Amino acid sequence: PGPASPRAWVGGGGGGPRAPGMKYRHYAPRARLEVIMGSPAQVSEAVKKGLLARSGGGDEIGVMAPQTTVDAVKGLLSEEERRSVYMVRCGESEDALEGWGRDLYSALRDFDDRPSVVHIVAQGAGDEGFGAAVMNRLLEAAPSEGDQAPLEQL
């Protein structure tokens, strides 16, 4: 568990793309996108790390995850921390991947409509079946490892 590597998914194996649509970078949000593979508690810890690294007083951290994770993260953050976090739901639960995939791009665009969001923490979806497709879209929207500014520079 932890940050996911785009190189492990996209074109990773040397045999070209694993499926149609996995070759090119897709829509990417303005804010830095970090994909976290793990539990709601791990997503919450990434959010807290992002909150500590913010450069401006009005900057917000975005959370993009299924409703069950959004609810759990809300419960793990203090009231003060929640005021600086903008949460967008993608699907109902970690198991309902179709809803997650359906809501993905509208969620990314929602963050672009909120310029105060400088860093987005997205919960990863898994590596099998529809989860692999969701992860591909998330990782294609995230900058490659060399393009990401360290959290301390946000």
Side-chain angles (χ1 to χ4, degrees):
S5 168
R7 306 220 190 303
W9 284 81
V10 181
R18 292 180 10 189
M22 295 180 79
K23 187 172 180 181
Y24 302 105
R25 186 171 166 139
H26 295 276
Y27 173 79
R30 179 191 49 77
R32 176 178 180 257
L33 176 65
E34 177 182 11
V35 181
I36 299 294
M37 295 300 296
S39 68
Q42 290 166 310
V43 172
S44 180
E45 285 306 310
V47 169
K48 288 182 180 194
K49 186 176 180 181
L51 287 170
L52 291 173
R54 291 177 303 159
S55 59
D59 290 347
E60 291 180 300
I61 303 299
V63 174
M64 184 171 67
Q67 187 65 51
T68 52
T69 297
V70 166
D71 292 342
V73 169
K74 283 180 185 176
L76 294 169
L77 297 175
S78 70
E79 185 176 329
E80 182 179 342
E81 289 170 326
R82 284 192 305 267
R83 283 193 289 262
S84 296
V85 176
Y86 182 65
M87 299 192 191
V88 176
R89 174 190 66 84
C90 283
E92 294 300 320
S93 71
E94 295 175 50
D95 298 326
L97 294 172
E98 293 82 12
W100 204 346
R102 179 190 62 238
D103 297 340
L104 184 83
Y105 287 115
S106 65
L108 291 172
R109 287 185 181 92
D110 195 10
F111 288 116
D112 277 348
D113 290 340
R114 195 168 177 111
S116 57
V117 174
V118 296
H119 178 204
I120 302 165
V121 176
Q123 184 178 26
D127 61 356
E128 294 183 15
F130 202 77
V134 171
M135 277 301 294
N136 172 259
R137 296 309 182 259
L138 283 171
L139 294 173
E140 287 293 321
S144 65
E145 293 170 18
D147 295 338
Q148 291 186 6
L151 282 176
E152 295 79 31
Q153 293 180 11
L154 292 175

